[in-house]
Amino acid sequence: MNIYTARTGGLAILATIIAVAPLGFSNTYFYDVGVNAMFNAIVCVGLNLLIGYAGQISLGHAGFFALGAYGSGILTTVYGFPPIGALVLSAAVVGLLAFAVGRPILKLKGHYLAMATLGIGIIIHIVLKTEAKITGGPDGMSLDNFKMLGFAIKGDVMWYWVAGIALVGSVWLALNLIDSPVGRALRAVHGSEVGAEVVGVDTSRYKVLVFVVSAVFASVVGSLFAHKNGFITPDIGSFFHSVELVTMVVLGGMASTFGALIGAVILTLLPQVLAAVEQYEAMILGAIMMGTMIFMPKGLLPSLVAVLRRRGGGR
Amino acid sequence: MHNLVKWGTAAVVAVGLCGLAGHARAADPIRIGSTLSVTGPASFLGEPEKKTLEMYVERINKEGGVLGRKIELVVYDDGGAGDKASTFTKRLIESDKVDILIGGSTTAATMAAAPLAERAEVPFISLAGAVVVVEPVKKWIFKTPHTDRMAAEKVFSDMKKRGITKIGLISEDAGFGKSGHDQSLAVVKNYGIEIVADEVYSPKDPDVTAQLTKIKNAGGVQAVFNFGFGQGPAIVTKNFKQLGMAVPLYQSHGVASKDYIRLAGDAAEGVRLPAAGIVVPEQLAATDPQKLVVTAFKKDYEAAFKSDVSTFAGHAYDALQIVLAAIKRAGAVDKAKIRDEIEKTSGYVGTGGLVSMSASDHMGLSPSAFHMLEIRKGEWALID
Amino acid sequence: MFAAFLQYLFSGLTSGAIYALAGLGFAIIYNASHVINFAQGEFIMIGGMATATMVAAGTPVPVAIALAMAASMLVGVALEKFAIEPARNADVVTIIIITIGASIFLRGGAQLLWDKEFHALPAFSGETPIGILGATLMPQSLWVFGVAGLAIVVLWWFFNRTLFGKAMLATSHNRLAAQLVGIGVKKVLLASFALSALLGAVGGIVVTPITFTNYEAGIMLGLKGFSAAVLGGLGNGTGAIVGGLIVGIAEALASGYLSSAYKDAIAFLIILFVLFFMPSGLFGKRGTDRV
């Protein structure tokens, strides 16, 4: 199967699932969970470019997500920006910030990079919590509906379709990026950074580029999330949220766009399912994380694909 | 003849009762939904709230329920986070089809859930502290806890009585402390008091002597007021003693439980704080209308859970009682009617104080709900 | 003025020594396996919670401490045996997620086994502050300094003077070569988890009289310990201690002279700044990349 048909095939399956899923939704709560799952999936598809393809970890992406959310919140409520303008401007600012910190930070390796990104995420979280005059502090801030061209996106059902289109679009973007020369360079960086440099790949440029792209993904989703929920608190930028995002990517399958997507959906649904056994929720969640990683170290999707291939090959 | 009438009446009544009972058995339960911070940094709010709701719902169901219908309680853990509270509130309204919402341990969780309750027109009694929950008044939102503003006012009026005019404020940088801090700044001027040092700490800081030293050296500080909950205030209290600070230390209602005295130990001697009558039921005057209610509640709670009752458990108790009374008065499980009856709550004697709500006051607690306590020999002493 | 400075310094040393003890646990496991164990904070929590609850239930303090240390070691060994070893050839990120999963699991377990309330332990040598040049220090802080100092000495001796310690270091440098010269890599990994769990428990026990403990206490300690270990240079015990003290002192001086609201942010800024210029931390070995 050639790579282009595989890509369109994957996109078609994704679009079909998104379109068909609501048949099983009995009320707007399901749509709400669906939107959250797809929002997380978009962030993870972006983050996976960084973790899975460029091999660089980030424990600070919730900070970018929160900056997008608060950027939209502050620009629309305080400065009267139209929501789309606020979204774009926030994403641009986040992109610039990621670019500025990306160059020095991405020289770091492994755990040192984890520490640096963690620090940046925590600093963003502290600023949002402390500057209560403009952010509302820990008690949060409210936002209006997302209006564009005289049309307001409101209600979980409408948001579901918006999130669905955004998800298909982001996956398409990510797949294209991976198959571009940039993507090939990135994989070279992941394989062996020195090796890539020797053959003339400007590794730091590509790493920064993908860092910026993944930060912008997070920021845009943050803006959408803020309008959809209508209320945001600094907690969305906490260290825990960053760890959650990385877990989604790794659990679903690094270096697999659809894997990251599946990881995001599963980890968004899991707490809703486990809410019934609230007392044991933490233990079950922890056990699932450990078990998946021990038995499928490459993540859910790649491991399943490998199993299927092996079966297919044996025939 | 006479006997015949008697027996006849009895039979009719008996048949009637059976009919009623049969009807009640067939009826759906009344559903109360709750998102609480059962885990996470605010778990010491959510945990006792959950226990209290579960205990009383079980008891009421054993006694036959309300309007002949059982009560079904659905609780989710939002960990104190706004976004989780929002999703769970949707689930409660849409999937669990609850008739009433009680919950939102933290202000963030409440504010995230409030617009959903408003839109779905479900009565919602919040258990969060901040004033913003009920100011401005939202049609479907009520709350039972005292506001942080009332706590600050109680503390400042006590300081004023002692002739204190310059104080240092130290607060926690998370939700409760931050909101309390802001309300303190808003009302402090009304008492002729000036805040000359304003410091914060993180809830899990191991040591706050640096912040306290800064307050100590701010010049002319006559008292220190700490707004926070959890282990933070206990660490503040210990560090305060360590630095040998001789001025009075005030805490907020956030630490009005025996846990605080247990953690802070000797250092807590002489600390003053505002608290509801529930903390000291045995010291309330015999004429105090709250005495019976809080004594009974404290006994129930401590017998059931073998841990000290806290004000927060009381907030959940009050919310449940107000809702049940409103349902009884409404005579039907009709959300709009229940909402109207909650708003008409008048003279309810709760663990937090006397509650009389109105269209413009969805909390209904009078300032007299707070008492001033001082810790003496490891025990609470009621001083006002 | 000087008294205030000294007080800030003491405050920073107290917090810093706590972070340093937490960081040391990260360093030991990293040394043996190049794994960052994000459940390190939970070892500290288990040490503190187990001791505090047993003491509250009437167990004599020394017995409670011994049992808590044994319990924590058992958890450390189990974690290595059942979660880390089966995945030892996996990616670094995969192992990070396993240890994060373990930390969530252990917190959930602690909340079921014990409760969600805060627990205290009495201070080991009373609560009379020691006055030094106008500033004060609690005797318990000296205990924390002492334990951190002792730990570093014992670890130095262990890694440099004992055969098993040297074997552990060798494993960390080159696992294959170590195996070839007959070092039991599995045993080394197991020992490193047992050792750092033990150290975590000891840390939890000495800091509980200062900070109290509850089932979530490991989160903050784990985060600060990780910061300390990275700042000092991963795998370097002295580095972890110095890193912890720097973070603690930076926080205290920042609250004293700048802003208490931004003290944590300032500490992280300092870490970032150091990493920009010293990408392997203060004492870390400059790594060379293998092609």
Side-chain angles (χ1 to χ4, degrees), chain C residues 163 166-168 170-171 174-185:
Chain C
L163 195 62
K166 286 183 193 170
M168 277 173 85
T171 315
N174 191 330
R175 193 178 288 180
L176 188 65
Q179 232 156 1
L180 289 176
V181 296
I183 294 171
V185 172

Side-chain angles (χ1 to χ4, degrees), chain C residues 222-283:
Chain C
L223 195 63
K224 294 284 167 80
F226 175 59
S227 311
V230 173
L231 177 62
L234 279 170
N236 187 310
T238 319
I241 298 273
V242 174
L245 292 178
I246 291 179
V247 173
I249 292 171
E251 282 175 10
L253 291 181
S255 2
Y257 293 115
L258 298 165
S259 144
S260 47
Y262 278 111
K263 68 178 171 47
D264 287 337
I266 291 165
F268 279 110
L269 268 182
I270 290 174
I271 295 176
L272 282 175
F273 195 71
V274 169
L275 289 182
F276 287 164
F277 294 100
M278 305 169 90
S280 308
L282 292 169
F283 295 85

